Amino acid sequence: MIQPNTTEVAFGLPAQASTLAGAYDTLFLSLTALVTFCLVLIIGAGTYFVYRYRWRGGEHNVVEISHNTTLEVLWSVVPLFVVMGLFVWGFKNYMDQLVPPKDALEVRVTGKKWKWTFEYPNGAQSADEMAVPINKPVKLIITSNDVLHSFFVPSFRMKMDAVPNKYTVMWFQPVLEGPQQVFCAEYCGTDHSKMYAQIKVMQPDAYQKWLDAHAPVNDSDPIAHGKSLFEIKGGCNACHAVKSAAEQPQPVIGPRLYQVFGRKEKIQGQGEVAVDDNYLRESIENPMAKIVEGFAPAMPPFKGRFTDKELGHLIDYLKSLK
Amino acid sequence: MTQYTPSSSEPGQRPPSFWNSSHGLSSWLFTLDHKRIGVMYLAFVWFAFMLGGVFALLVRTELLTAGKTIVDPDTYNQLFTLHGAVMVFLVIIPSIPASLGNIILPIQLGAKDVAFPRINLASFYIYVIGALIALYSIFSGAVDTGWTFYTPYSTTSNSSVSTMVLAAFILGFSSIFTGLNFIATVHRLRAPGMTFFRMPLFVWALYATSVIQILATPVLGITLLLLIAERVLHVGIFDPALGGDPVLFQHFFWFYSHPAVYIMIVPGFGVVSDLISTFSRKAIFGYRAIALSSIGIAIVGFLVWGHHMFTSGQSELAGMIFSGLTFLIAIPTAIKVLNWIATLYKGSIVLRTPMWYTLGFLWLFTIGGLTGLYLATMSLDLHLHDTYFVVAHFHYVMMGGTMFAFIGGLHYWWPKFTGKMYSEKLGNWACALAFIGFNLTFGSQFFLGVAGMPRRYYNYLPQFEPLHQLSTIGSYILGFGFFLTLVCLLRSLKSGTDAGDNPWEATTLEWKTSSPPPLENFLGQPTVDRGPYDRAAGGGH
């Protein structure tokens, strides 16, 4: 969780952490000046007229004015030019915000209930946090594994939806070192409001160290590989706890997987089932087949997401949770 | 002013009012009288408004603290969904047209009833059936998708999405029937001499609204049917797992729902135009500009739906066109506001309860309209989209706009259709509390949105807590204000003084008949020879 910003711009706009945030704020503050002017003019005139021409009893003295063509043309045409100016300015900034430079670092971002995962060109992987080098353009290629999400970074003044079976693009060039808060902005269910991530903006050497620390886990060690699949590729730990209730009280959206192997689960409408390899595989690939009592049928099917070898390693990891 | 001489002007010889023209429950259940149907609509709309209001207060109470306050996240998600769905489909859309419009529009035209009284009654029963199905869905696993039903969440959610969607589908027909009736009534049943440009602006606004209702609502119906087809028959339309496209749903949905926000606000424009003229005791400034700008908004309103999708990965060219057209809508809207302000100039402004609501509308709607400029500006929308800024903007327009106009209009026409005058003091207090509470509730939300607080969040970061708490306190004041409104109006039925036929010295036709009006509104056929707001005693243009 990021500390509250101490360098807010105005009206609560967060600190400007990207190259384009400044241009955004200039437009925002200019429009705010214009809006304030219009508000004072309209509400001021209205309030003054109400006060000045209020009925004080007796005869109603009014001056009938049915229309005034000059005035009406004026207040139609002048706003038209003003909003067209706004439109052009907004469109120009929009294109700057949307079209990434050619040399940008490409990172793949995947949203899933309720986790963001990241994959770097050299294979480095992470969940819930990503690192980027300061002052270098970064291009995010965003998609989703299940429902719509939206990758929102207020300090970059930018968001982009994550759409399943489609890639969307967002880019930024960070200028402030330190963590930047990421929210999910498109409603996605139970833990939508906990789908946070952080973008850690780092100096190049620290960034390199971070990349090394997040190098992909190779599949020579099944349990370590399975753990990586569980946490990053599957994002399973968004809903399933892997330690005892005392050590890890949350999350409890899905069944706790601590000591899961070999225990007996009560299945809704089907009696008891002993957890073995086949049960685990079925519960990953087609979770709706057997719903454990006390839980909502909320898990998306992962069929096709893992290879046979990966499934084996995942199950090995689950067996290791003792 | 018009030529209308009741065949008998002695109060003792007046025919019974529509309340007393027949008796018994069945005389209401099977009534074809537009006023009785309007009154029944009014009762149901208020009931739904209170229900949606309770949901809103529960949502705000949960947000009092950053973590859990009273409910768990799934319940919270259901609460904000139900609040949105009830307020949009059961309250705001039918509020002004189906209740006030039903009661007043035929009288303003000098007609005995709407063109198709049976369809009018059918519209009411379809509304009731839709509302009951919506209520049923709450108890059969309340829907948790948000009122927008975005796919693929809505096609994979285990809550009773199909039931709620079916309710919205059915409610659409009620809306179509009302629109159909108003269009036919305006074209066929105007009193002799009432040309289009002698119609009150309330009628113009309802006419524009009806056109949108008839053209846009079927698209919603089709979209919702496709959604049900996907959920029940697993036909791949929107869900990518079945080969569909989730963004297609957003296009379909907003193709209806953006025009629908004009279905919600344009009737409010009509109410305010009538009220501002009456309580300034002078003709409206720029009558034709206001009348035609409603039509302009109705047409351009169909071409801006894509501004809801600037962050969905939609093409930049499409986004550019939608943004440009959205800015164009600002012009007819600005014209209306400026005309209302100009009407106040050199008037004789009588500050009674309906006028306080009208002024509240003007202030709040102006803020709502101007903050729309931020969201229409593509670049600014990238940051503000799906934050509390949008929530605040939407509520300033829909609640500060439509609901203030609706309640203002209700206070204005209440003495006409009940014959009773409420307590002015209580009415003023209720309006003041609602206005203050409203600004606390939603004014703070603009700042939350600018700071990056996303909408539909059960938990939030600690730095957002003070503004959330301000908003919640405001919502309690707002809720209390609306509760007082109801008390004020209902109390007048028992203890109110007799209102008289024209307590506001208004000029439109409904004030020429008795309060409450008789069964067929007028005793003879009124004729019209001048504009709706013309106060000159001897005629004139």
Side-chain angles (χ1 to χ4, degrees), chain A residues 65-68 72, chain B residues 201 284-291 339 343:
Chain A
I65 310 162
S66 74
H67 64 285
N68 181 328
E72 287 180 69
Chain B
L201 288 167
I284 194 106
F285 180 93
Y287 170 86
R288 278 181 188 237
I290 295 182
N339 279 314
T343 304

Side-chain angles (χ1 to χ4, degrees), chain B residues 8 17 35 58 90 142 174 234 278 289 323 332 383 438 447 461 483 488-489 506:
Chain B
S8 145
S17 77
K35 299 180 288 299
L58 288 172
L90 293 179
S174 136
H234 302 287
T278 295
S323 170
H383 174 62
F438 180 88
F447 296 93
L461 297 184
F483 174 72
C488 167
L489 292 175

Side-chain angles (χ1 to χ4, degrees), chain A residues 24 55 60 159 184 187 190 297, chain B residues 74 144 158 380 383 385 457:
Chain A
Y24 181 97
W55 179 57
H60 291 291
K159 73 169 61 68
C184 176
Y187 172 69
T190 309
Chain B
D74 289 327
D144 69 340
N158 292 295
L380 298 184
H383 174 62
H385 184 73
Y457 260 35

